[in-house]
Amino acid sequence: MSTLTTQDTFDVLLESAPQNFSALRTAGKELYQSAGLPVAKAEEYKFTAITKKLEKSISDFRAASPISISKNQIIESTFKGFDGYTLVFSNGKFLPELSSQIEGIEVSGLNESTGGVGTIAKAEKDAFAALNQATFNGGISIKVPKKVQVDKPILLLSFNQSNDGQVITPRFWIEVGDFAEVTFIDQSVGLVDSPYFINKVVEVKGGINSQINYYRLQHEGDQVIEVSNIETDVLADARFTSVNISLSGDMVRNNLSLNLLGSNCEGNMYGIYLLNGKTHVDNHTNVDHTIPHAESNELYKGIFDEQSRGVFNGKIFVRQDAQKTNAFQQNNNVLLSEDAIVNTKPQLEIWADDVKCSHGCTVGQLDEEALFYLQARGIDKTLAKGLLLYAFVGEVLEKIEDESFKNHVVGLIQNRLGSKF
Amino acid sequence: MLTIKNLHASIEGTPILRGINLEVKAGEVHAIMGPNGSGKSTLASVLAGREEYEVTEGEVIFQGKDLLEMAPEDRAREGVFLAFQYPVEIPGVSSTNFLRTALNQVREYRGQEPLDAVKFLSLMKEKMKLVEIDQKLLSRSLNEGFSGGEKKRNEIFQMAMLEPTLSILDETDSGLDIDALRIVSNGVNQLKSDKNATIVVTHYQRLLDYIVPDYVHVLYKGRIVKSGTKELALELEEKGYDWIKEEVDSAAV
């Protein structure tokens, strides 16, 4: 095994990248090479030593080829009660033959005629976004035409497994027309518990007055390393809501960016991390208020047990023109073990003077008095703990509008907390 | 039903209870009175199993079982109920859900079938009348945003639902206006039977006009220094606690 260094870690991947999108890939490669992987203590990755982790845990930095997926696997991996359309991916590659046909929507593999790719998730902002742009394999384009209201949620079901290589580079391009409405559920399934690295980019181009929900469940094996960049443009009168649920993994870094570009739009970022073992999850969010009269809401709640670790960094930019902005941010954390760590940081930069902004971060422990109160009524201590923790994250769960997905997540969380009631 | 023998308890190394002896029989109401800091609430907390208190000596036998050996939830399941002086607000947990979970855990322990939603609701409706509590209140998060009086009523409502053998009311009267006090006491009185017992911990005699005790005990410096009937409470109301303090302190010299 060769010794890898920051400089050449992804050289093999870059050299064997697909041939299409050549201009885009060349630009991505140049940006990646000039930025390099984050060095130790790099500001944006200060608490998440992703480079070190990759070099330690991944030995084969080639792309993992798609594996064959059976219809049965799809059925087994689809959560109970789900009623919607399913789009299937294998190691990042879209499998149309196994996916639902969705009437009135254009779904295809990503190709150069798609247009717009790389214009929303800007490669210059993050080395991994640049690396994805240079090396993505396959990818998908989903276009919801103007005024189309997709009647059921769309499940983006990704099957992952290290194969001939251990790097998976999915790329989603989602375009939602003016007045269109759609809900996505992004869920990955690890087929075997082996180490692999997912470097994902999702670009969402929302139209005027569009309504988009993007729900995401991270619940793969404990050896998975993932960096994702999800970025969206939100136009006038539109609403974009992200709910991100992280339950496992080795090291996970989520970059979520909302660009609020039209007045009266709304951007919502919600999340739960419920971690144990040595799982490390880092949520970096960024909302950019560029215009007046827009609103953003953010609420992330974390529960950390054993030696797990969480990072929250919430950036809010309110540009000079963005008067009458409403921007709210909150991150609350509970540590259940002395070995768990959380680093939380709000980062507000406000240039406008007539705005309403608030932020708050808390890190605490389980309320012992509340625990005693429940026990004193006959409730078992473990169950009482579970009830309190479930109540703690309940506020975020309420943001999930799709009932079947909500029930699925509630089930997973109650199971983890031992709080079924 | 309950026998407390030479009970000593301390918190963070500071002794609070210094040898409590008390016998409570089924059908009885005992009032524990005393000046602030005498150990009244500590006694209530120790009986319910609050972990901050360390029992250093003595024993508590409840219906033939060693109460001090049990976890708080098991004491509750055995039939001990503490009405909290400061009921805790728990956002995100609805009163109804909480009570149903509690009730079914208690029933399971006693070998009874869990109540289904329908039976639970009808039981709830019946018990709600006792303390004149509004159903709207119970669909909200547990005690969250409740007024002082609503919280205390909710305590007695929970007591009615769980049907304890031994109820300990810790300063349930403090902060209540006369109407709320009447409602709460009325609830407690209706729940009284010859099979259960009540310990009323209070600083003021006023509550005892409504919940009439069979025995009154005065706690001072962690010991019961005087016991009597309800007349003792009236005497305390009239003369305050100083005469008892003097009696005890001069005897100690």
Side-chain angles (χ1 to χ4, degrees), chain A residues 367-383 387-388 390-392 421, chain B residues 49-50 72-73 76-77 81-82 84 88 90-93 97-98 101-102 105 142-143 155 158:
Chain A
D367 181 351
E368 291 292 330
E369 185 62 19
L371 188 61
F372 177 65
Y373 189 66
L374 298 183
Q375 283 181 275
R377 296 294 175 259
I379 300 175
D380 172 78
K381 189 173 187 178
T382 312
L383 180 62
L387 276 174
L388 292 175
Y390 179 72
F392 172 71
F421 58 93
Chain B
R50 197 185 283 275
E73 57 267 38
R77 295 161 180 180
F81 181 91
L82 172 66
F84 280 57
V88 186
I90 307 186
V93 175
N97 242 338
F98 149 73
T101 306
Q105 288 243 306
L142 186 53
N143 291 326
E155 292 294 289
Q158 291 172 28

Side-chain angles (χ1 to χ4, degrees), chain B residues 229-247:
Chain B
T229 55
K230 62 180 180 193
E231 282 72 27
L232 177 58
L234 290 170
E235 198 179 347
L236 289 169
E237 169 79 356
E238 199 182 312
K239 305 201 313 205
Y241 287 105
D242 286 349
W243 63 281
I244 289 193
K245 289 185 192 174
E246 277 162 27
E247 237 178 71

Side-chain angles (χ1 to χ4, degrees), chain A residues 317-335:
Chain A
F317 291 97
V318 182
R319 312 243 171 209
Q320 200 160 9
D321 289 340
Q323 299 294 0
K324 305 287 180 190
T325 283
N326 285 330
F328 307 107
Q329 179 190 88
Q330 212 179 323
N331 171 237
N332 307 111
N333 303 287
V334 173
L335 300 178

Side-chain angles (χ1 to χ4, degrees), chain B residues 5 28 52 109 140 172 204 214 227 231 248 251:
Chain B
K5 274 188 201 157
E28 292 177 347
E52 300 94 285
Y109 183 83
R140 282 172 32 193
T172 296
Y204 305 109
D214 300 298
S227 293
E231 282 72 27
V248 175

